[in-house]
Amino acid sequence: MAIRRPDPVPAPLRLAEWSMLRVHLIWAYRGPPSYSHFAQPENATSIAWRIEKGSVRIVGERSSAVRAQAGSWLLPAGDKILHDFSDDAIITSIRFKAHWPDNVPLYDDRQSVMFAARRFPKFEAATAQLQRLVSNFSHRRGGQLLLMHESLNFNQYQRLSRVMSRWIEVYAGVMARLGVPLGVTGQHDPRVAQARQAIEDLSMQQRLDERALAKTVGLSPSQLNRLFVASTGMTARAFAEKRRVDFAREKLITSTMPIKEIAYLLGFHHPSHFSAWCRKKLDVYPTEYRVLNNVDVTKTLG
């Protein structure tokens, strides 16, 4: 099989498209895995594990099973449904989001990516810097729980943003050198890109006004939806609703935020209305969703 040698930078896209990329860190820690044995579908985030000691085996719903040993980096496929760490495992765990608005990841995650840590010393250094910084900010074990809800002053926030941006930059270089393609199928119609950005700019409490959105980009509602379906596979309204569902899913899994607070952030005046909405969108009530995903108020996933 021929070896691809792409440029060590992401492929060029229009600025309007890059501006839709959303990046944030969920946690960064070094230590034993929070859940050594876990058998559930993952939520829509990305994971990078450096195996410091021991080993891990992962199984995907469609992707190949992979075993990683000490000294390796493993970036599990997005369809991971099981991981099993050895009892002596020590890892550096980076959980993050680098996704487009429709939750397509920055890089194709249909297969797991594994490589020797020594191969990319800049990635090692950027990860160590990120992990150290997070451990300084977080009052919880390893910085792995509720990082997004830590209180930071402006200077701390700016520093974390710079260090995370540097980590993503180095990560992108690694993925490019490994030949992993961007997780975006191609350039979108600029009017769709503009409309998607307008949807992204809405607060979670705001409802989409399709007519106003179509007028903003110089289209009729039916034209906008035809372009949206061609680009994303869904209408503008469905796209906006999926964004809200993904937000709820992420908060339920990666935080211990009270249900009523999540409901308020999504614009529900009564938690019971939010529960009914979750039942419709996720097939279960929010408290059940947390139980099914092994969310503990004192722990998070590894």
Side-chain angles (χ1 to χ4, degrees):
M1 183 176 67
I3 298 175
R4 286 180 291 177
R5 298 186 183 279
D7 293 333
V9 293
L13 296 174
R14 288 190 293 261
L15 181 59
E17 290 175 302
W18 282 120
S19 67
M20 293 188 293
L21 181 66
R22 292 296 178 263
V23 175
H24 70 255
L25 177 65
I26 298 173
W27 68 63
Y29 75 94
R30 184 183 188 280
S34 296
Y35 280 85
S36 294
H37 314 286
F38 180 76
Q40 287 286 346
E42 280 288 351
N43 55 307
T45 59
S46 297
I47 307 169
W49 286 328
R50 189 193 193 286
I51 313 304
E52 312 285 353
K53 182 182 178 183
S55 64
V56 63
R57 177 178 177 268
I58 67 170
V59 176
E61 188 174 9
R62 295 171 301 278
S63 60
S64 304
V66 176
R67 180 179 294 277
Q69 304 288 343
S72 299
W73 274 98
L74 176 61
L75 283 61
D79 69 346
K80 180 178 77 66
I81 56 173
L82 178 148
H83 71 243
D84 187 16
F85 283 96
S86 61
D87 293 339
D88 62 342
I90 300 293
I91 63 172
T92 293
S93 177
I94 312 293
R95 187 180 283 262
F96 63 102
K97 288 206 73 167
H99 287 64
W100 306 103
D102 48 4
N103 255 335
V104 173
L106 175 58
Y107 283 94
D108 190 328
D109 68 349
R110 286 175 292 181
Q111 290 293 332
S112 299
V113 175
M114 184 169 60
F115 54 88
R118 65 177 181 275
R119 185 177 174 186
F120 297 105
K122 288 185 179 179
F123 191 52
E124 294 281 283
T127 299
Q129 182 183 21
L130 181 63
Q131 188 271 317
R132 285 195 302 269
L133 182 62
V134 170
S135 66
N136 290 335
F137 290 159
S138 178
H139 301 297
R140 301 171 177 88
R141 175 179 167 270
Q144 60 181 303
L145 181 61
L146 297 176
L147 176 61
M148 291 297 289
H149 301 288
E150 291 286 353
S151 297
L152 307 179
N153 61 39
F154 181 74
N155 289 338
Q156 290 173 323
Y157 165 71
Q158 288 293 313
R159 187 180 177 196
L160 180 59
S161 297
R162 287 195 300 269
V163 173
M164 183 60 189
S165 293
R166 174 59 180 165
W167 189 88
I168 287 290
E169 180 185 357
V170 178
Y171 158 80
V174 169
M175 298 296 271
R177 286 179 61 187
L178 292 172
V180 182
L182 286 172
V184 60
T185 56
Q187 296 179 332
H188 300 290
D189 186 296
R191 294 166 295 183
V192 175
Q194 183 183 354
R196 286 172 58 156
Q197 184 61 58
I199 292 173
E200 276 288 293
D201 290 340
L202 294 173
S203 76
M204 290 296 168
Q205 296 180 340
Q206 289 178 280
R207 296 296 187 268
L208 177 65
D209 184 333
E210 272 190 342
R211 288 187 176 277
L213 178 63
K215 185 177 180 180
T216 298
V217 298
L219 296 169
S220 69
S222 60
Q223 289 173 321
L224 175 65
N225 278 319
R226 279 199 299 272
L227 289 175
F228 241 88
V229 170
S231 178
T232 69
M234 64 188 83
T235 65
R237 186 172 298 282
F239 181 88
E241 187 68 355
K242 183 177 184 299
R243 175 173 171 260
R244 299 178 76 239
V245 172
D246 290 339
F247 177 87
R249 193 193 311 272
E250 180 183 343
K251 293 300 180 187
L252 288 170
I253 291 180
T254 65
S255 83
T256 56
M257 186 182 292
I259 298 296
K260 63 181 180 181
E261 188 173 342
I262 300 174
Y264 172 76
L265 291 175
L266 283 164
F268 292 95
H269 297 296
H270 301 287
S272 60
H273 295 169
F274 172 62
S275 292
W277 179 80
C278 281
R279 180 70 177 83
K280 180 179 179 181
K281 301 295 182 180
L282 302 177
D283 295 326
V284 293
Y285 294 110
T287 50
E288 293 176 282
Y289 190 77
R290 278 182 158 164
V291 170
L292 288 171
N293 284 278
N294 287 357
V295 178
D296 189 306
V297 295
T298 62
K299 298 179 180 178
T300 52
L301 305 183

